[in-house]
Amino acid sequence: MGEKKQYDLVVVGSGPGGYVAAVRAVQLGFKVACVEKAARLGGVCLNVGCIPSKALLDSSEHFIQAKENFSNHGIRFDNLSFDLAVMMARKEKVVADLTDQVEKLLDRHKIDVFHGTARLESPREVAVTVDDGSPKILSAKNILLATGSETVSVPGISIDGDRIVDSTGALSFDAVPEHLVVVGGGYVGLELGSVWRRLGSAVTVVEMLPKIAATMDGRIIRSLERMLRKQGLDFRLETRVSGVTVTNGTVKVAVEGKDGASTLECDRVLVAVGRRPLTRGLNLEAAGVGTDSRTGHVRVNSRYQTDAETVYAIGDLVPGPALAHKASAEGIAAVENMAGKPGEVNYDAIPAVIYTWPEAAAVGITEETAKERRIPYCVGTYPFSGTGRARCMGETDGFVKLICHSKTDRILGVHILGPRAADMIAEGVLAMEFGAGSEDIARTVHGHPTFSEALMEAAQSARKCSIYTS
């Protein structure tokens, strides 16, 4: 079947889980190969996910700030406009620069990269079909599956890549939609809906559940929805899409909600209802790798081994949130386990972020979860309007909410809605990783004036000792 090469580890997939694992394996003395079916390394995250979406979010946020808020700082514009083509080109350059860095990283670590489609032949062999059709057999002591996930569609909606798109298509519109209907009120829908709303689209978000961003803390959800409505997003909650038709460039979306059936007319539809593990074509059965019949996730143990002990799986292929940083952490842990070292991931300390503006970020459990589990807890909150830095920037919306155990003081969750929440949450993650209590954050001196002071104040509030609370 062609040329056969020997490796200690073959990584299938070069996303944030795969390429990080490959580099860590080299550091541990492994001879490593990485297989990637796409022309560029980096996986979904770098090419059509995390990175391009954040590039557009930043560009569109700069525009809306200049349009609506700069005048408050005495900065005025005449005939303010934007060039969508330049904005898209900048996004592509950001992606190209980062994927090039990944390529150089793997090259520097002498990792053999094969661009082609991977298929398991056995628990120790991966067949790679390259572009010219010639097969290669990669033999390895261990195999790591890191192929990520793919978008989920909705019955009655056929994604055509033109008028009806998934998240990849919504990153590359050649014109601003007059009306964009977003099916799904999760992270992706809210972020991409925000991009196009800022650039002038009417945006309607259709969500089956009674709330957006359902995994977030209840107070965060309610406040975020209110802020996004104020920005112009329209939400149709407890509403499902029953069908979509396209006629002469006009898209009609049939929806059914609490008030009955109706039709939304628009020119673009974004389907953003979630993702599923991408295992198609991997030939898992040939290696004895099993999956969950309900979710499609690959079954793994605490060491990330599948049913076949030489085959490991990480990232979106296994249970847990579909987050790039989760995949990276699992990739490192899996490789360390292969090397006989103790590798694990603390799933209680994995942050989640929604990159709207203001940003929403969280780590640990929500107040609702604490109630469900009957955990005795205390809550401390503090608004950004009370911090000097937020006042100086004119970014006073939002708050910090800290949940701690009422008997031990150990921090159970940190939830932030506001400016720079994506960066601020790191302090909460570190605190939880080290088993800190609210007193530890409350007694830590924070720079003044900074946004992070709000976290310190929330921690003090949780201990009933804030100088600003009675």
Side-chain angles (χ1 to χ4, degrees):
M1 288 187 63
E3 181 184 1
K4 180 176 284 192
K5 294 196 173 188
Q6 301 281 339
Y7 295 94
D8 295 312
L9 173 64
V10 171
V11 179
V12 182
S14 70
Y19 83 76
V20 169
V23 171
R24 180 59 180 145
V26 170
Q27 292 171 344
L28 292 172
F30 289 22
K31 181 181 179 183
V32 181
C34 182
V35 183
E36 173 54 58
K37 67 178 181 179
R40 292 196 301 196
L41 302 178
V44 168
C45 177
L46 266 68
N47 288 282
V48 292
C50 320
I51 298 304
S53 63
K54 303 315 170 281
L56 288 181
L57 280 160
D58 286 339
S59 293
S60 61
E61 179 59 24
H62 287 320
F63 173 71
I64 204 68
Q65 287 283 355
K67 181 181 178 182
E68 297 184 355
N69 297 329
F70 278 10
S71 60
N72 295 328
H73 296 268
I75 304 170
R76 303 187 184 281
F77 294 93
D78 293 321
N79 303 316
L80 181 69
S81 63
F82 64 89
D83 187 324
L84 184 61
V86 172
M87 196 176 288
M88 290 295 178
R90 175 187 175 275
K91 173 205 67 173
E92 287 302 318
K93 185 177 187 307
V94 170
V95 170
D97 287 347
L98 287 172
T99 54
D100 285 348
Q101 284 184 23
V102 173
E103 184 175 352
K104 292 174 182 176
L105 178 68
L106 298 193
D107 182 64
R108 189 165 66 249
H109 285 82
K110 296 180 171 53
I111 296 166
D112 291 342
V113 176
F114 296 89
H115 286 279
T117 303
R119 175 183 172 87
L120 296 180
E121 292 294 311
S122 75
R124 293 185 184 273
E125 288 185 327
V126 177
V128 181
T129 303
V130 295
D131 292 340
D132 62 7
S134 61
K136 294 181 183 295
I137 300 296
L138 308 181
S139 179
K141 295 177 182 177
N142 291 292
I143 298 168
L144 177 64
L145 303 178
T147 52
S149 59
E150 60 185 347
T151 55
V152 174
S153 189
V154 175
I157 303 180
S158 178
I159 296 175
D160 60 16
D162 180 23
R163 293 294 167 180
I164 307 171
V165 301
D166 58 13
S167 57
T168 300
L171 290 167
S172 302
F173 289 151
D174 57 3
V176 177
E178 289 186 19
H179 183 192
L180 173 66
V181 170
V182 179
V183 184
Y187 293 29
V188 174
L190 297 178
E191 290 179 4
L192 292 179
S194 292
V195 167
W196 295 108
R197 177 67 196 107
R198 295 166 188 168
L199 298 181
S201 294
V203 175
T204 303
V205 178
V206 180
E207 171 55 56
M208 287 184 62
L209 298 176
K211 55 188 177 181
I212 61 173
T215 59
M216 284 277 177
D217 182 86
R219 183 176 174 186
I220 295 284
I221 293 171
R222 293 188 294 273
S223 298
L224 178 61
E225 181 188 335
R226 183 176 66 252
M227 293 173 187
L228 292 178
R229 284 186 185 276
K230 188 176 179 180
Q231 293 171 20
L233 276 74
D234 179 32
F235 292 99
R236 305 290 182 91
L237 304 178
E238 296 182 83
T239 302
R240 70 178 189 90
V241 175
S242 56
V244 177
T245 57
V246 181
T247 306
N248 298 324
T250 298
V251 187
K252 293 185 178 181
V253 183
V255 298
E256 297 178 6
K258 296 178 293 184
D259 300 324
S262 60
T263 300
L264 301 172
E265 286 196 7
C266 62
D267 50 332
R268 302 272 191 176
V269 173
L270 163 60
V271 180
V273 294
R275 303 184 68 82
R276 63 187 172 203
L278 181 53
T279 57
R280 286 182 297 104
L282 284 177
N283 196 29
L284 297 179
E285 58 276 9
V289 175
T291 60
D292 185 304
S293 60
R294 184 178 60 86
T295 66
H297 286 117
V298 175
R299 290 196 300 265
V300 292
N301 61 19
S302 61
R303 293 168 51 82
Y304 304 100
Q305 287 174 304
T306 67
D307 295 338
E309 65 177 5
T310 58
V311 182
Y312 294 68
I314 60 167
D316 295 0
L317 288 179
V318 302
L323 298 171
H325 45 278
K326 166 186 172 283
S328 296
E330 289 175 339
I332 292 172
V335 168
E336 289 176 341
N337 283 321
M338 293 176 202
K341 296 179 177 293
E344 63 178 0
V345 176
N346 181 2
Y347 290 99
D348 290 332
I350 293 181
V353 181
I354 304 176
Y355 293 88
T356 49
W357 196 265
E359 296 170 336
V363 63
I365 65 172
T366 64
E367 184 173 358
E368 291 76 14
T369 300
K371 289 179 180 177
E372 290 171 6
R373 296 180 184 177
R374 297 183 179 180
I375 298 172
Y377 68 93
C378 292
V379 172
T381 62
Y382 195 78
F384 280 108
S385 58
T387 67
R389 182 62 172 165
R391 288 282 179 183
C392 290
M393 286 188 67
E395 296 287 355
T396 56
D397 286 339
F399 58 91
V400 175
K401 177 177 180 179
L402 185 145
I403 303 169
C404 63
H405 197 288
S406 62
K407 295 181 179 179
T408 67
D409 190 44
R410 185 168 182 167
I411 297 170
L412 303 174
V414 178
H415 307 274
I416 306 173
L417 176 64
R420 310 302 176 207
D423 299 301
M424 282 183 62
I425 198 64
E427 183 178 353
V429 175
L430 186 63
M432 290 192 63
E433 188 68 46
F434 279 84
S438 67
E439 182 178 8
D440 294 306
I441 291 181
R443 290 183 178 274
T444 297
V445 178
H446 289 65
H448 175 77
T450 60
F451 288 111
S452 65
E453 288 178 288
L455 179 56
M456 177 184 69
E457 292 289 349
Q460 290 178 351
S461 174
R463 295 186 53 76
K464 312 299 183 187
C465 65
S466 171
I467 63 172
Y468 298 107
T469 57
S470 57

